[in-house]
Amino acid sequence: MYRSGTVMAWNVFRFCTALRGLGSIMILLVLGVVGVTYYAVVLTNYGPSLVSGGGILDAFIALSVLALFHCLLVMLLWSYFSVIFTDPGSVPQSWNPVLDEERGDTDPLTASEFGASPADPANPRIRFCKKCNQLKPPRCHHCSVCGRCVLKMDHHCVWVVNCVGALNYKYFLLFLFYTFLETTVVTLALLPQFIAFFSDGEIPGTPSTLATTFLAFVFNLAFALSVLGFLIMHISLVAGNTTTIEAYEKKTTPKWRYDLGRKRNFEQVFGLDKRYWFIPAYSEEDLRRIPALHGLEYPSKPELESQVF
């Protein structure tokens, strides 16, 4: 039994280490796809069309495609690196709960309850992480890859080499959103060239530029279809004010105490200021008025506050 447990722990450690190493490769893969796409769209196809002095219609189409492509690319990369470099949320060392929100308690915790060992089964009102040896706020989970507790953890994403949690979840959603828009625009923009590959007519360009265009179309089509599925899933999670982990844990629960309605659920992630909804940032007013954006306190339905999940 001891040997079996040791082997399992070692396998989990190796798996987590592999995920951390894989993340760096994924970033290079994303940047590589961006580079191939940029070469195919800007340098091979629509850039030359714009400066070739062709018809007005061709120049207008090329200018429109290039302008939209660059705008979406800037927003995609801005959101992507915001997810990478933004800490998803860690538990402050001095943090102590006033009451156990996770269990739906309404009676404040007393000082004597902190005097006992928080991990003591006889003291179930305090959530405690044995791996981090610290108290856990509501909706907080331990990430084995990062080796720490993450506030409102959704999942660990190897594509960004980071956890997706309370402080960068909006940035992750915007990354999915702009990735879908960008890859869809590229797919439609390169579709005529892709169809031309299978026609009998002569295709202008060198073999290398044609191969790059072909690869860019296939990559962007694949990303658009795959990201669309993730985007739909996370839209449903935001609408219910839940995370991927919570959706799995509460799959048999008829009601969710943090579900405040679609409008308020959306505001708990994106804020109240509409000017900031589509950029990876928050206004100072939203950060002041919405505690959920800090990852430690979450409003809930009054009628469900005493319900245990």
Side-chain angles (χ1 to χ4, degrees):
M1 178 66 70
Y2 175 77
R3 179 176 177 80
S4 176
T6 303
V7 171
M8 180 177 295
W10 173 245
N11 289 337
V12 171
F13 173 78
R14 292 180 61 184
F15 175 72
C16 295
T17 303
L19 283 181
R20 284 192 288 267
L22 182 63
S24 301
I25 298 176
M26 290 302 187
I27 293 179
L28 295 177
L29 177 61
V30 170
L31 296 180
V33 173
V34 170
V36 169
T37 301
Y38 193 91
Y39 181 82
V41 174
V42 179
L43 302 181
T44 301
N45 291 284
Y46 288 92
S49 297
L50 183 62
V51 300
S52 63
I56 297 178
L57 180 60
D58 291 339
F60 176 76
I61 294 175
L63 181 61
S64 300
V65 170
L66 291 174
L68 183 58
F69 173 83
H70 282 92
C71 289
L72 292 176
L73 181 61
V74 169
M75 297 307 300
L76 186 159
L77 293 177
W78 185 9
S79 301
Y80 182 58
F81 286 107
S82 294
V83 182
I84 293 175
F85 294 114
T86 300
D87 191 302
S90 301
V91 183
Q93 293 183 354
S94 59
W95 181 83
N96 281 324
V98 178
L99 50 83
D100 189 352
E101 294 183 5
E102 190 82 0
R103 291 175 54 84
D105 290 346
T106 57
D107 297 330
L109 293 168
T110 62
S112 61
E113 290 180 282
F114 292 108
S117 172
D120 188 350
N123 188 26
R125 297 186 65 204
I126 299 178
R127 300 180 69 238
F128 187 81
C129 179
K130 296 181 179 179
K131 296 180 180 179
C132 295
N133 195 32
Q134 66 180 9
L135 300 173
K136 293 174 64 175
R139 313 184 73 177
C140 177
H141 294 83
H142 184 87
C143 176
S144 299
V145 180
C146 295
R148 63 189 177 98
C149 285
V150 176
L151 301 179
K152 195 185 176 185
M153 178 181 173
D154 187 89
H155 69 288
H156 184 92
C157 182
V158 295
W159 290 94
V160 299
V161 202
N162 198 4
C163 265
V164 177
L167 306 187
N168 64 354
Y169 185 48
K170 172 188 173 182
Y171 309 159
F172 176 75
L173 295 176
L174 290 177
F175 168 59
L176 293 181
F177 176 68
Y178 287 118
T179 298
F180 173 70
L181 292 182
E182 175 82 337
T183 53
T184 300
V185 167
V186 172
T187 299
L188 295 176
L190 297 181
L191 181 60
Q193 289 82 351
F194 181 77
I195 295 176
F197 280 110
F198 304 97
S199 64
D200 296 331
E202 183 177 350
I203 306 174
T206 64
S208 61
T209 58
L210 295 178
T212 303
T213 300
F214 185 89
L215 288 176
F217 176 85
V218 172
F219 283 152
N220 280 272
L221 177 61
F223 271 95
L225 294 177
S226 59
V227 169
L228 177 60
F230 283 108
L231 189 59
I232 293 174
M233 182 190 75
H234 281 282
I235 288 175
S236 66
L237 293 177
V238 172
N241 197 6
T242 186
T243 65
T244 301
I245 294 176
E246 291 169 344
Y248 175 79
E249 290 180 343
K250 70 180 184 67
K251 57 186 178 181
T252 58
T253 303
K255 296 181 180 180
W256 179 234
R257 64 190 304 264
Y258 296 112
D259 187 357
L260 308 175
R262 293 182 179 179
K263 182 176 183 296
R264 290 193 62 191
N265 292 343
F266 178 86
E267 294 170 349
Q268 295 295 301
V269 177
F270 286 85
L272 297 168
D273 195 333
K274 297 179 181 180
R275 297 173 301 174
Y276 287 80
W277 281 358
F278 294 100
I279 63 174
Y282 290 104
S283 67
E284 294 183 2
E285 182 68 12
D286 280 346
L287 292 175
R288 185 181 63 84
R289 295 176 56 187
I290 306 178
L293 298 181
H294 298 280
L296 294 173
E297 300 178 18
Y298 301 94
S300 60
K301 290 183 178 180
E303 65 272 18
L304 297 178
E305 284 185 351
S306 59
Q307 185 173 349
V308 177
F309 294 94

